[in-house]
């Protein structure tokens, strides 16, 4: 690469990393050598969600990029290397690694926490909440502590208070100003927020100036206030604002703003032509910006400027929408009504502690700003009025009135093309429209193309609304059908099944379907609905054709076609005798063993025909199925609780056992994970689960709608200090309401985010019975509980069901393609081998197996002279004789022999099978892959003759006809 010079970025925070991404996007990594210096040893991480780290998420989950981002693009990242000096004349930067020249230098050094010079602010009395290392220090200080104080009641201060409360500390917030969040909220808004936070058990002291910190009598420290009062605590976290990290700029002689920050122009260039500054360390027209979105805009400006494009930073909207300690808070535009002559409308909800203020211009023609406390459902609409100068309604007050009293929602069609939809990535409505016009017809594709809603995620609802509105405006119907076979959503199908007592897929298709066999989308969904509604065994012959391979064989298929076995270990509690059995079984069948995050033991590598034998031994030892293969209740994780732990206040293991044994086998739109912690130290990580339970001195706190995984979400506090019966009652109602109303494959977290009215609405339904359905929900859950049976025990007592568990229906040999190699004293799968064609099949009809070996509307596999042949059977129906199809069992995309275990159905007029691994569809008649025209599986002619299945090779003419078609 011929380099046009060195670009050096000092700072590897969110804005510094985003700047690097923008340089790459403009192709500058191909023409320049790019170096990035970061003080911290970590990769760039998401500081906006630091609280997730405090709640048990690891640093890797917060990382902002893929592992190979820098090496892939040829960038050099200097982790943990601090730049110590800049020589502007020589155009070099100096660090412990040496001296490096630059042609362009970009300051992205961010800010540092401001710690007031209060005497005694050292050690555990001088903590800050800014970096991962800071949080580690707070966590360490909390060991053995009972009380924590945060000095500062702004955004970060309240986040820090939430973190301390999450560590089980009695928490207080001390604010010098007369109200919380004084920059964003007016007096009434601050008062409303204080009420809400105090209702959560956090003490709030406003108008309190800390004079000094001395040794405490009952706790480690004592805060002495200016009025002579005091407060004792074990640790003190300062969050009294931030200061631009501008030391290097000051030392090299660059101009700084009156309150700090490197002075920049509209191009984000400093007084030195070769040096730029972006993010919190920059000062533009006397302003510094403490939010990430303005920093991103600056980064885009610099990258565009360096690429020779016209770009300018013209300020930023500092509107903010967030959730603090579970309380919605929003601040838009001129929230304080500082504009001369402005007038305001206010709504005060004393019953629920909500507050809303709408600020209008003197003539009432423009919405200038707003304050929201308690409900951010109004935020997106008001923001668009402010940002786009949209004329307010005739009665502007309707914009903040409760929804039931005539509040107007601003339709997406009313927004101009310049309307900013995603401020994190500078995506306007016009950009979204352009992407749709270029072919983006799916929301996921739109997000990938524009990056909208991939930052903080606050614009997700608005983005979806704009997307669907614009599709409809172009005459494109927004089809919410489940698939081509059902013109209903999952929620609607669930209601039809419940209301009309429908028990089978065929019955549902006949009454409400569009005809056909079904497909790999609708069959598993309907199977899950039937199980959720009636809890009949999934091994019932009527339900077998509906199941994905995991449910069919009650084990998780792995990449080589083997399965994992996960017996239930309720609450993570297991006897030594059972541990020994698991070891003996693993050793006998040469299985790889691993302890899971859900406190169970996973046995990998079981071949299909070994599954019944393995489960016979496990059932004899007292185990039962763990449902790890299903979209169902998986685990209830627990700590040891009060039975062993000195901090435990309730028996968390006993409670976990009760919950797991009650909800085991419950089928849902997505998997369900629970946890029970015996105290607020939260060792079981209950606040990252769909249902989390944490013990208190007075009962149990219930958390709902959390999850880990690809997009982690913190669970929300739903109810406090519940007795055992009420706890179970609320969980029953919550789960059945979720099952009733969620979309297919929708986690509880996503369902909650899309729920109209949010958590308050959910509380109304579950606690206050606002819909009058709670008794019905409880009955439905009890029916599921009463009908529970271990699916493996059910299968092992039925010879017909066991017929499915054969690698080949006509041969006892194992699959020769399944091989293992040793690794770390265990085994792992060897790479799958491409198929070796041994013969084309018989030239005349040859018997392969018995007709009784086939499974209706599903597949089995037979062996013929080295060929693995998947057989799919359609029984006789009115007007059509029975049919059998023969197709290669080898999946060309994974090189695993698994096609015979896929779901049979019809798609776009073709009879197909869906690969159980990666869901490509193959036509049963000619083997053509619908997703990739270049891929075709071998097929054979097949027929039923005298109770036998017969096959023969297709003639050359027949193959040619199929290919031409």
């Amino acid at each position: 690469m011929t380099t046009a010079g060195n670009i050096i970025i000092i700072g590897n925070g969110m804005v510094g990393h985003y700047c690097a991404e923008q340089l790459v996007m403009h192709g500058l990594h191909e023409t320049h050598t790019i170096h990035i210096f970061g003080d911290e040893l970590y990769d760039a991480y998401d500081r906006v969600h630091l609280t997730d780290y405090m709640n048990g998420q690891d640093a890797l989950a917060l990382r902002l990029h893929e592992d190979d981002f820098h090496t892939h693009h040829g960038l050099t990242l200097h982790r943990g290397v601090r730049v110590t000096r800049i020589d502007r004349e020589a155009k070099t930067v100096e660090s412990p690694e040496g001296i490096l020249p630059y042609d362009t230098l970009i300051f992205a050094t961010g800010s540092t926490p401001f710690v007031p010079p209060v005497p005694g602010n050292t050690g555990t009395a001088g903590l800050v909440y800014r970096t991962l290392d800071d949080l580690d220090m707070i966590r360490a200080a909390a060991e053995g502590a009972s009380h924590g104080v945060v000095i500062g009641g702004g955004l970060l201060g309240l986040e820090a208070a939430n973190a301390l409360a999450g560590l089980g500390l009695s928490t207080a917030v001390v604010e010098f100003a007369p109200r919380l969040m004084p920059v964003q909220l007016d007096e009434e808004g601050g008062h409303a927020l204080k009420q809400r936070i105090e209702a959560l058990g956090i003490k709030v002291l406003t108008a309190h100036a800390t004079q000094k910190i001395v040794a405490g009598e009952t706790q480690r420290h004592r805060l002495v206030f200016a009025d002579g009062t005091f407060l004792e605590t074990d640790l003190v976290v300062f969050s009294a604002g931030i200061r631009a990290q501008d030391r290097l700029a000051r030392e090299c002689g660059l101009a700084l703003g009156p309150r700090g920050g490197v002075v920049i122009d509209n191009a984000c260039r400093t007084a030195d032509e070769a040096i730029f500054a972006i993010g919190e360390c920059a000062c533009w027209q006397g302003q510094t910006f403490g939010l990430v979105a303005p920093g991103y805009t600056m980064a885009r400006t610099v990258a565009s400027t360096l690429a020779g494009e016209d770009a300018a930073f013209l300020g930023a909207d500092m509107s903010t929408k967030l959730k603090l300690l579970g309380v919605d808070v929003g601040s838009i535009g001129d929230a304080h009504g500082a504009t001369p002559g402005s007038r305001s409308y206010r709504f005060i909800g004393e019953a629920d502690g909500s507050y809303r203020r709408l600020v209008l211009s003197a003539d009432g023609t423009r919405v200038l700003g707003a304050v929201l406390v308690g409900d951010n459902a109004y935020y997106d609409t008001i923001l668009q009025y402010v940002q786009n100068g949209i004329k307010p309604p005739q009665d502007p007050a309707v914009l903040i009135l409760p929804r039931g009293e005539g509040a107007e929602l601003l339709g997406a069609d009313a927004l101009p093309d310049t309307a900013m939809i995603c401020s994190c990535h500078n995506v306007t409505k016009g950009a979204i429209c352009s992407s749709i016009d270029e072919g983006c017809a799916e929301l996921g594709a739109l997000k990938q193309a524009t990056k909208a809603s991939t930052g903080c995620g606050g614009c997700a609802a608005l983005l979806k609304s704009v997307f669907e509105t614009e599709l409809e405006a172009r005459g494109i119907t927004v089809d919410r059908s489940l698939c081509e076979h059902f013109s209903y959503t999952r929620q609607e199908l669930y209601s039809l099944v419940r209301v009309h007592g429908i028990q089978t897929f065929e019955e549902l298709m006949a009454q409400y379907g569009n005809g056909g066999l079904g497909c790999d989308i609708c069959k598993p969904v309907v199977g899950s609905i039937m199980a959720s509604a009636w809890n009949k065994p999934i091994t019932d012959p009527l339900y077998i054709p509906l199941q994905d391979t995991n449910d069919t064989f009650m084990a998780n298929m792995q990449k080589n076609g083997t399965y994992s076995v996960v017996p239930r270990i309720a609450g993570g509690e297991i006897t030594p005798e059972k541990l020994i059995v698991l070891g003996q079984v693993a050793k006998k069948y040469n299985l790889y063993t691993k302890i899971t995050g859900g406190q169970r033991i996973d046995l990998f590598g079981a071949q299909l025909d070994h599954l019944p034998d393995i489960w016979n031994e496990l059932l004899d030892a007292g185990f039962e199925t763990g449902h790890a293969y299903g979209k169902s209740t998986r685990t209830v994780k627990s700590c040891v609780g009060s039975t062993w732990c000195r901090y435990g206040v309730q028996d968390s293991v006993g409670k976990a056992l009760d919950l797991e044994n009650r909800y085991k086998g419950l089928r849902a739109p997505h998997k369900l994970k629970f946890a029970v912690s015996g105290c607020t130290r939260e060792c079981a990580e209950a606040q990252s689960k769909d249902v989390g339970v944490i013990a208190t001195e007075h009962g149990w706190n219930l958390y709902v709608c959390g999850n880990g995984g690809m997009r982690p979400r913190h669970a929300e506090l739903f109810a406090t200090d519940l007795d055992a019966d009420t706890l179970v009652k609320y969980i029953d109602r919550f789960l059945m309401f979720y099952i009733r109303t969620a979309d297919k494959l929708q986690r509880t977290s996503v369902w909650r985010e899309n729920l109209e009215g949010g958590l308050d609405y959910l509380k109304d339904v579950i606690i206050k019975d606002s819909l009058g359905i709670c008794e019905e929900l409880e009955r439905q859950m009890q029916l599921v509980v009463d009908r529970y049976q271990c699916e493996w025990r059910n299968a092992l007592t039925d010879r017909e069901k066991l017929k499915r568990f054969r690698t080949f229906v006509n041969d006892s040999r194992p699959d020769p393609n399944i091989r293992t190699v040793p690794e770390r004293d265990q085994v792992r799968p060897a790479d799958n081998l491409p198929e070796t064609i041994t013969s084309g099949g018989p030239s005349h009809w040859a018997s392969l197996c018995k007709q009784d070996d086939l499974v209706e509307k599903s597949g089995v596999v037979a062996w013929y002279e080295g060929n693995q042949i998947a057989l799919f059977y359609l029984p006789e129906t009115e007007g059509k004789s029975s049919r059998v199809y023969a197709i290669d069992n080898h999946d060309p995309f994974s090189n695993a022999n698994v096609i015979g275990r896929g779901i049979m159905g019809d798609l776009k007029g073709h009879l197909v099978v869906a690969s159980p691994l990666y869901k490509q569809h193959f036509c049963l008649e000619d083997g053509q892959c619908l997703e990739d025209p270049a891929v075709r599986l071998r097929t054979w002619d097949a027929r039923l003759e005298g109770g036998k299945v017969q096959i023969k090779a297709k003639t050359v003419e027949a193959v040619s006809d199929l290919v031409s078609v």
Side-chain angles (χ1 to χ4, degrees), residues 864-895:
Y864 181 81
E865 295 183 357
N867 295 296
Q868 296 191 28
I869 302 175
L871 302 171
F872 291 87
Y873 174 47
L874 279 179
E876 182 178 358
T877 57
E878 188 175 340
K880 285 191 177 182
S881 59
S882 56
R883 290 163 286 165
V884 63
Y885 297 88
I887 188 171
D888 200 334
N889 189 43
H890 191 81
D891 177 3
F893 294 97
S894 65
N895 282 327

Side-chain angles (χ1 to χ4, degrees), residues 379-528:
Y379 183 91
D380 288 341
T381 294
I382 298 175
L383 181 66
Q384 295 304 325
Y385 273 98
V386 173
Q387 288 185 335
N388 300 295
I390 299 171
K391 185 178 179 180
Q394 186 172 1
D395 180 8
V398 299
L399 293 175
I400 58 171
L401 287 175
R403 291 294 188 219
E405 298 181 25
E408 292 187 10
L409 286 173
L410 184 65
D413 55 347
L415 299 176
D417 283 349
T418 55
M420 185 62 65
I421 305 302
C422 175
S423 59
C424 285
H425 293 289
N426 198 37
V427 183
T428 63
K429 179 185 173 183
I432 290 168
C433 293
S434 296
S435 291
I436 293 172
D437 291 337
E438 291 168 5
C440 273
E442 295 182 353
L443 188 59
L446 180 70
K447 290 181 178 181
Q448 187 173 12
T450 64
K451 284 201 168 183
S453 193
T454 63
C456 71
C459 62
L462 181 60
L463 176 68
K464 184 173 185 288
S465 173
V466 170
F467 175 65
E468 293 183 350
T469 299
E470 290 302 318
L471 283 181
E472 291 172 346
R474 288 159 175 74
I476 302 172
T477 302
V478 181
D479 188 2
R480 297 177 177 85
S481 300
L482 181 66
C483 64
E484 66 181 65
H485 299 97
F486 290 98
S487 301
Y488 297 91
T489 64
R490 181 206 170 273
Q491 300 96 311
E492 291 166 339
L493 287 177
Y494 180 87
S495 296
L496 291 171
V497 167
R498 290 290 316 185
V499 170
H500 299 287
I502 296 173
Q503 302 276 338
T504 68
F505 181 84
E506 288 73 19
E507 189 181 352
L508 185 65
M509 178 68 81
Q511 293 187 37
Y512 298 102
N514 301 324
L517 290 177
C519 65
D520 57 307
I521 294 176
C522 62
K523 283 186 169 183
V525 167
V526 173
S528 173

Side-chain angles (χ1 to χ4, degrees), residues 581-622:
V581 168
L582 290 176
Q584 291 170 336
V585 168
K587 191 171 183 178
K588 179 177 180 179
Y589 295 96
N590 197 30
L591 305 178
Y592 170 83
T593 57
K594 189 176 189 303
I595 297 174
T596 73
Q599 299 178 336
R600 300 197 289 191
I601 296 175
D602 209 340
L603 312 177
F604 288 84
Q607 295 211 33
L608 178 63
D609 55 306
H610 287 163
L611 288 173
D613 295 334
I614 290 171
W615 274 104
N616 254 323
E617 295 189 35
L618 293 176
L619 291 175
D620 286 346

